[in-house]
Amino acid sequence: MPSAKPHSPSLFSELDIHHFKNGTLYNLYEKLGSHLTSWQGEKGAYFSVWAPNAESVSVIGSFNQWDPKANPMVFREDQSGIWEIFIPGVVKGDLYKYYIKSKANGIVTVKGDPLSFLWETPPKSASIVWHLDYTWLDKEWIDNKEKNNCLNCPWNIYEVHLGSWQRKKEEANRFLTYREIAPLLANYVKEMGFSHVEFLPVMEHPYYGSWGYQCLGYFAPTSRYGTPQDFMFLIDYLHRNGIGVILDWVPSHFATDGHGLGLFDGTHLYEHADPRQGYHPDWGSYIFNYGRYEVKEFLISSARFWIEKYHADALRIDAVASMLYLDYSRKPGEWIPNKYGGNENLEAIAFLRTLSETLYQEFPGIQLIAEESTAYPLVTRPVYAGGLGFGFKWNMGWMHDTLFYFSLDPIYRKYHQNRLTFSAWYAFQENFILSLSHDEVVYGKGSLLRKMPGDNWQKFANLRALFSYMYFFPGHKLLFMGGEFGQWDEWYHEKSLDWHLASEGFHKQLQSMVKYLNFLYKSEKALHANNFSPNGFYWIDFSDYEKSIISFIRKSPDEKDHILCVFNFTPVPRLNYLVGAPFAGFWKAIFNSDAPEYGGSGLGLTKGEMASPLVWQGQPYSLSLTLPPLACIAFKKTHEDKLEN
């Protein structure tokens, strides 16, 4: 049986402890947790854990028959609250937990390691001694990270849940491993033209049905699909195929399972003690105490960890609104105001600002993305300007209004055209991502295709129009897996997507259109490089609500290219419909969602149109167009053409 040396080594220097106690030690994963090492000629593992209110702590594991008396830890005498020990003979793959006797009435807790790099596959709950050695091959991507991930680069994101993108049906419907999914996902995403993959949380989580949003392993990818090195291989493979990786990260709340962070040392260490501050009524989870230095360090270290050790390009931070507001989803009397009497969570706001400043300064070329569902101001503006410092924010208002509009029978759309156009008035207040995410296709909401009204043909035509509107409207793009080929069933995490549909009729044609839009979006600067500037967008007309027709211009930063987008949201074709145009000459047709190859009727197909000198809709010229039913058509005019005409 391994036994502790009488005087164990430490990975903490005096300077580390100084920073730790001041809340500025953001590489905790190099200090706390378990680390394979050698001491005095013997190989083993160093363990350290923060448990300031413990009377005693010992490491129990597969190497000592889980005996609490075998390996008692040493409490540092520097008021850091850290316990540590070196245990010779411990090897990679050994299981362990911490046996903690609290000063609080002698409460005993048995906990997994908050800094563990790997956990047993749930429902098992032990931490696993592991290392993070890996030979990365993505140097070309990393060297160009700032170029690949800049604000005005084309971000068209494919959102993926690893456990249900594909499964091995012939093998008891098992998960694909990280290494199995790597070439399949990379090849598909590359062929479809998406720029980035966003993974629903991969951090270890006890309950698979939470999709990872109730996690405990803030430094460990879930072992359901493999080891840390296997997950590194997946990211490496995507990078080597020119695909960026976004990881969903959840600092807003954590699972209450007994082996986790809650009541860690018999006291409310990571969470607030008062349930009005520390318990989330919607999700039955604990809320982090953002005012505590060590908790702030834990979370910032976690974010930093995924960027440094796993080469993540971006973190999408979940449920930011629940962090910003003390009364989020609470009735009067169920929350505690801040020191000024308001409902803003000042400590969480300070944490988010520190997080963004720290990460952007240290890792040029990364992005932070906020899932923030309110009108909280300046989410994507710099901290020095009073903002939260995020790079992007999901446009939840656009999503809700747009899906509401498209779910209407076209006969009623004329009464609600403002729901479709309203988002243009605030489109440039933040750096928005237009998201059609997993949240919109679960819990009885139905798939995107089933939301669409009409018969089978009209459902697909409406969905093509919806995707067209998303790709041409200002803002970066996000689409959840299965939407690109018109999955009929709403998403269910226990089964694979219905991939057989992607080879059939309208589904295959829809997928073909999304592929074309992806490459068009990435190739046309007018569609992505000005997404966050009002100079890149202006209306031609949004007032023809009787016919449910809108039109607008997208233009490139250098104003060389102008793209005219015209939408008909009724099943009635419009012949000889006049649309204003800013320039004379030939406007080249670049897209028609009603094209036969996309499953459309083929109306309005043309190589382009000549503008006539008829003043219309406030423009000096106009185009006479055939507008196909439930469709979008788009035309391009270049600066060179303007000079010639």
Side-chain angles (χ1 to χ4, degrees):
M1 178 188 302
S3 59
K5 290 281 185 178
H7 300 288
S8 292
S10 178
L11 295 184
F12 287 92
S13 67
E14 289 187 14
L15 182 60
D16 290 333
I17 295 298
H18 171 77
H19 283 299
F20 181 73
K21 291 162 70 173
N22 284 279
T24 55
L25 189 64
Y26 300 144
N27 62 335
L28 290 181
Y29 47 89
E30 295 177 351
K31 310 294 179 178
L32 292 173
S34 63
H35 299 271
L36 291 166
T37 186
S38 297
W39 186 52
Q40 295 184 350
E42 289 191 86
K43 292 183 178 180
Y46 165 82
F47 297 85
S48 62
V49 65
W50 177 58
N53 301 305
E55 181 179 303
S56 64
V57 182
S58 59
V59 182
I60 59 175
S62 56
F63 44 82
N64 64 13
Q65 289 73 54
W66 304 92
D67 181 3
K69 297 179 181 179
N71 297 119
M73 303 183 79
V74 177
F75 188 61
R76 292 183 63 96
E77 297 180 356
D78 53 17
Q79 298 181 324
S80 64
I82 293 170
W83 300 74
E84 56 190 351
I85 191 175
F86 175 80
I87 305 177
V90 174
V91 297
K92 173 185 170 185
D94 278 344
L95 307 180
Y96 72 102
K97 287 186 176 182
Y98 295 117
Y99 184 92
I100 304 171
K101 185 177 181 181
S102 178
K103 293 177 182 177
N105 299 319
I107 295 171
V108 172
T109 57
V110 179
K111 297 290 186 177
D113 189 344
L115 277 291
S116 178
F117 296 149
L118 181 63
W119 294 69
E120 283 187 295
T121 303
K124 296 180 179 180
S125 59
S127 299
I128 304 176
V129 177
W130 208 258
H131 64 74
L132 298 178
D133 297 346
Y134 181 81
T135 302
W136 288 89
L137 301 174
D138 62 349
K139 184 178 185 302
E140 182 178 354
W141 176 270
I142 296 299
D143 288 346
N144 290 284
K145 202 167 189 176
E146 291 184 67
K147 179 181 177 182
N148 295 328
N149 298 325
C150 66
L151 283 178
N152 293 315
C153 296
W155 290 65
N156 48 333
I157 303 162
Y158 188 55
E159 190 188 28
V160 171
H161 177 254
L162 277 168
S164 55
W165 185 70
Q166 283 191 29
R167 287 197 178 193
K168 285 283 187 180
K169 293 183 179 180
E170 65 278 12
E171 298 178 23
N173 199 39
R174 73 165 175 84
F175 300 130
L176 294 179
T177 67
Y178 294 124
R179 288 183 182 267
E180 287 175 328
I181 205 172
L184 299 175
L185 183 61
N187 292 342
Y188 181 73
V189 169
K190 189 175 183 179
E191 179 185 352
M192 285 295 295
F194 290 100
S195 65
H196 293 71
V197 167
E198 178 174 330
F199 291 121
L200 271 63
V202 298
M203 297 80 187
E204 192 60 83
H205 47 287
Y207 177 49
Y208 174 71
S210 75
W211 314 329
Y213 290 103
Q214 292 212 17
C215 106
L216 288 177
Y218 279 81
F219 297 83
T222 178
S223 59
R224 291 175 176 89
Y225 318 120
T227 68
Q229 283 73 18
D230 295 333
F231 185 51
M232 291 174 182
F233 176 84
L234 171 56
I235 296 176
D236 198 16
Y237 201 101
L238 289 166
H239 280 172
R240 285 184 281 137
N241 281 274
I243 301 162
V245 177
I246 304 165
L247 301 181
D248 277 14
W249 183 62
V250 190
S252 48
H253 61 120
F254 61 92
T256 60
D257 296 67
H259 62 281
L261 303 175
L263 288 170
F264 189 79
D265 62 359
T267 68
H268 297 280
L269 201 56
Y270 288 89
E271 72 278 11
H272 281 280
D274 193 318
R276 293 174 295 175
Q277 295 173 294
Y279 185 77
H280 206 298
D282 281 358
W283 302 314
S285 52
Y286 288 136
I287 300 172
F288 284 105
N289 182 349
Y290 304 106
R292 190 158 195 168
Y293 282 164
E294 298 90 347
V295 173
K296 182 183 74 169
E297 289 173 306
F298 174 83
L299 290 172
I300 294 178
S301 291
S302 172
R304 189 176 182 272
F305 173 81
W306 295 103
I307 296 169
E308 179 188 350
K309 299 299 185 181
Y310 285 87
H311 291 198
D313 296 279
L315 298 177
R316 177 268 196 184
I317 299 181
D318 182 65
V320 171
S322 74
M323 300 172 66
L324 297 176
Y325 298 104
L326 296 166
D327 61 346
Y328 181 89
S329 195
R330 296 179 188 272
K331 298 175 183 177
E334 296 180 348
W335 60 283
I336 300 175
N338 63 35
K339 62 183 180 181
Y340 302 113
N343 68 339
E344 297 87 359
N345 189 332
L346 302 178
E347 294 167 340
I349 291 168
F351 159 72
L352 290 171
R353 287 173 170 160
T354 302
L355 175 76
S356 60
E357 283 189 312
T358 301
L359 295 181
Y360 277 114
Q361 181 176 358
E362 187 169 358
F363 301 102
I366 61 99
Q367 295 292 351
L368 298 181
I369 303 169
E371 190 235 358
E372 202 284 307
S373 55
T374 74
Y376 190 90
L378 306 176
V379 172
T380 59
R381 297 298 178 255
V383 172
Y384 65 76
L388 295 182
F390 284 87
F392 304 122
K393 172 183 172 177
W394 278 18
N395 194 336
M396 309 297 280
W398 174 90
M399 178 273 296
H400 285 298
D401 287 345
T402 300
L403 289 181
F404 171 83
Y405 180 86
F406 274 91
S407 68
L408 294 171
D409 186 301
I411 198 172
Y412 301 116
R413 287 176 176 172
K414 64 181 179 181
Y415 304 112
H416 300 278
Q417 187 146 308
N418 64 310
R419 291 291 292 269
L420 190 71
T421 59
F422 175 68
S423 58
W425 304 113
Y426 63 84
F428 308 107
Q429 291 180 7
E430 303 278 6
N431 301 334
F432 282 122
I433 291 177
L434 310 181
S435 58
L436 294 174
S437 75
H438 65 280
D439 279 328
E440 314 320 316
V441 293
V442 291
Y443 296 143
K445 296 178 183 177
S447 67
L448 292 178
L449 184 58
R450 287 199 186 276
K451 294 181 196 294
M452 301 297 107
D455 59 23
N456 198 49
W457 188 92
Q458 290 183 342
K459 284 181 181 297
F460 277 94
N462 272 300
L463 190 54
R464 293 194 302 269
L466 167 60
F467 288 160
S468 303
Y469 182 63
M470 178 175 77
Y471 274 88
F472 286 110
F473 195 78
H476 291 338
K477 324 300 176 187
L478 178 142
L479 183 60
F480 183 58
M481 63 183 197
E484 76 276 14
F485 60 79
Q487 173 105 359
W488 278 113
D489 294 341
E490 69 176 23
W491 171 54
Y492 181 46
H493 57 272
E494 292 286 7
K495 65 185 286 286
S496 169
L497 296 180
D498 294 326
W499 284 103
H500 63 279
L501 295 177
S503 61
E504 302 173 359
F506 286 149
H507 299 277
K508 183 178 181 180
Q509 292 167 319
L510 173 66
Q511 185 187 45
S512 177
M513 189 200 75
V514 172
K515 176 179 178 179
Y516 178 83
L517 282 173
N518 275 331
F519 283 100
L520 182 69
Y521 172 72
K522 291 199 295 186
S523 64
E524 294 290 349
K525 286 189 175 182
L527 297 181
H528 67 258
N530 245 346
N531 268 335
F532 310 128
S533 169
N535 294 327
F537 169 90
Y538 61 89
W539 288 110
I540 296 297
D541 184 58
F542 58 83
S543 61
D544 192 355
Y545 58 89
E546 284 290 347
K547 295 185 177 69
S548 299
I549 294 171
I550 63 171
S551 52
F552 54 76
I553 290 282
R554 298 297 309 279
K555 62 180 180 177
S556 58
D558 59 6
E559 300 194 5
K560 174 182 176 182
D561 299 325
H562 289 67
I563 294 177
L564 170 65
C565 313
V566 187
F567 299 83
N568 175 15
F569 294 120
T570 73
V572 181
R574 305 294 177 179
L575 307 180
N576 301 315
Y577 187 89
L578 286 181
V579 176
F583 307 115
F586 185 74
W587 287 74
K588 179 184 177 182
I590 60 172
F591 178 71
N592 185 336
S593 69
D594 194 51
E597 59 265 34
Y598 304 145
S601 66
L603 282 177
L605 291 180
T606 175
K607 292 183 178 179
E609 299 290 339
M610 289 293 296
S612 66
L614 174 65
V615 176
W616 194 254
Q617 295 174 335
Q619 303 298 320
Y621 303 94
S622 56
L623 302 174
S624 180
L625 304 174
T626 295
L627 304 187
L630 298 171
C632 164
I633 55 176
F635 302 85
K636 180 180 178 181
K637 188 87 171 104
T638 67
H639 185 61
E640 287 76 11
D641 291 335
K642 285 161 52 183
L643 292 177
E644 293 170 3
N645 293 283

